[in-house]
Amino acid sequence: MPWRDELEPYKIWVSEIMLQQTRVDQATPYFNHFISLFPSVYDLAKASQQEVLKAWEGLGYYSRARNLHYAAKTVVKEYGGRLPETYDEIIKLKGIGPYTAAAVTSIAFNKPNAVVDGNVIRVLSRYYGIEDDVRSTKTRNKIQEFANRLIDEERPGDFNQALMELGSVVCSPTSPKCTQCPVQASCIAAGTAKTEVIPYKSPTKKKPHKHIGVGIIEDEDGKVLIALRPEDVMLGGLWEFPGGKQKEGEEIQQTVERELKEELGIEVKAYREFMSFKHVYSHFSITMHAWLCKLISGTPSANASQEIRWVEKSELEQYPFPKANKTLTQKLKKKR
Ligand code: SF4
């Protein structure tokens, strides 16, 4: 990890927010880029939300970026630019939950707060032979209690990072390297040959799949119409092509025409599919169908968005879009 020896609380905070839903190898280039753009909490607080979302583009779970930005302003305004050092204070900041509060305060300020992430859950459930479902809150609370009892009061940050690293490097999900593990002698799962069945995770429900129809409207100069999503929804604050979910019994071009009428107050004719592609989110997946549309009547207005804007296709990449739209904006750029 590039921030391995990092002691600056701001950078530890940013890295922990990125690592909430992203693997280290994926987060690393984003972390470096983000820190080069916003090297201090003051730089982040001063930036516009669009700049922050653009730096986060492709990393997903954009509420993390919005909350981080909001919290940076709070830190500057209410804490004089210094991140609060205690668990009870830091957890009040937007976007910081129990896990991140424990991670940041232990690593940055040496506070004895045990961090329990997926890696720690795997190590401790195997070590103590916990066979209960690790998806349940009860089991997680039990593991948290074990971690709280184990934590090294003198070096809590090192303890937390060491336990997480043991999970990611040695006690891996499918083939733990027990013979190289420093705690093998007292590990119950290793001693009873149960590493394959611990931790137990109950099966997840199948993700629903949705079809989304979006419209590409060009004006006479070849500019296309994009909309800024509302602040308080999934992917809020990002730009998109107007459209929405297909209803039962509807053809996809009807979806596009209906959605554009609802969202922009205009009549369009969706005349040709430009492209379609699949994208997987954490709780559902989509097929996005992008249709070329001809404006029949009306003037577009931002009925369902913060703002709408006509932009040159070559300018599209200056705007933060959800990852799913990337292939679409790239193909559009080449369209004459
Ligand atoms: Fe994991 Fe094996 Fe170490 Fe137990 S001995 S903690 S199962 S790597």
Side-chain angles (χ1 to χ4, degrees), residues 22-41:
T22 311
R23 289 202 322 265
V24 172
D25 55 334
Q26 288 173 325
T28 301
Y30 281 93
F31 174 81
N32 291 332
H33 179 57
F34 197 89
I35 292 298
S36 72
L37 293 175
F38 316 115
S40 74
V41 69

Side-chain angles (χ1 to χ4, degrees), residues 136-197:
S136 89
T137 313
K138 200 173 152 205
T139 313
R140 283 174 179 249
N141 288 343
K142 191 167 158 186
I143 293 172
Q144 180 75 53
E145 272 174 40
F146 280 122
N148 291 346
R149 264 188 253 160
L150 286 175
I151 194 155
D152 186 322
E153 301 267 335
E154 310 257 300
R155 295 166 61 195
D158 286 348
F159 172 87
N160 281 332
Q161 295 195 83
L163 204 52
M164 288 190 271
E165 177 136 330
L166 186 66
S168 77
V169 178
V170 181
C171 193
S172 54
T174 48
S175 45
K177 303 179 189 80
C178 297
T179 53
Q180 295 170 30
C181 180
V183 299
Q184 186 197 12
S186 44
C187 174
I188 293 179
T192 55
K194 285 192 170 171
T195 56
E196 276 180 28
V197 292

Side-chain angles (χ1 to χ4, degrees), residues 133-322:
D133 182 5
V134 292
R135 287 196 207 279
S136 89
T137 313
K138 200 173 152 205
T139 313
R140 283 174 179 249
N141 288 343
K142 191 167 158 186
I143 293 172
Q144 180 75 53
E145 272 174 40
F146 280 122
N148 291 346
R149 264 188 253 160
L150 286 175
I151 194 155
D152 186 322
E153 301 267 335
E154 310 257 300
R155 295 166 61 195
D158 286 348
F159 172 87
N160 281 332
Q161 295 195 83
L163 204 52
M164 288 190 271
E165 177 136 330
L166 186 66
S168 77
V169 178
V170 181
C171 193
S172 54
T174 48
S175 45
K177 303 179 189 80
C178 297
T179 53
Q180 295 170 30
C181 180
V183 299
Q184 186 197 12
S186 44
C187 174
I188 293 179
T192 55
K194 285 192 170 171
T195 56
E196 276 180 28
V197 292
I198 301 177
Y200 167 70
K201 281 187 186 163
S202 53
T204 47
K205 285 189 199 132
K206 201 171 171 273
K207 288 180 185 177
H209 188 81
K210 303 172 186 177
H211 287 268
I212 307 291
V214 300
I216 299 162
I217 318 165
E218 278 182 82
D219 71 3
E220 289 159 358
D221 302 323
K223 289 182 178 173
V224 288
L225 189 69
I226 58 173
L228 183 60
R229 287 177 68 82
E231 190 73 27
D232 51 351
V233 299
M234 184 184 163
L235 307 172
L238 296 175
W239 292 84
E240 65 175 4
F241 291 92
K245 208 166 44 167
Q246 185 180 34
K247 286 186 177 171
E248 222 178 300
E250 210 175 40
E251 294 293 330
I252 197 70
Q253 57 267 57
Q254 291 174 317
T255 305
V256 175
E257 290 168 2
R258 175 183 52 74
E259 285 284 341
L260 267 57
K261 192 171 184 177
E262 288 170 10
E263 292 194 356
L264 304 169
I266 53 172
E267 298 277 349
V268 298
K269 174 77 194 150
Y271 64 90
R272 181 154 48 92
E273 187 172 81
F274 180 63
M275 71 183 303
S276 69
F277 50 88
K278 290 191 175 152
H279 189 75
V280 180
Y281 291 100
S282 56
H283 295 96
F284 61 92
S285 57
I286 61 162
T287 301
M288 186 177 280
H289 307 264
W291 278 69
L292 298 173
C293 295
K294 188 174 162 46
L295 182 61
I296 309 280
S297 65
T299 307
S301 55
N303 297 346
S305 56
Q306 298 187 54
E307 185 190 334
I308 53 172
R309 207 177 276 189
W310 292 98
V311 296
E312 300 281 354
K313 295 185 202 86
S314 59
E315 289 171 359
L316 283 170
E317 60 188 23
Q318 294 170 16
Y319 293 83
F321 275 87

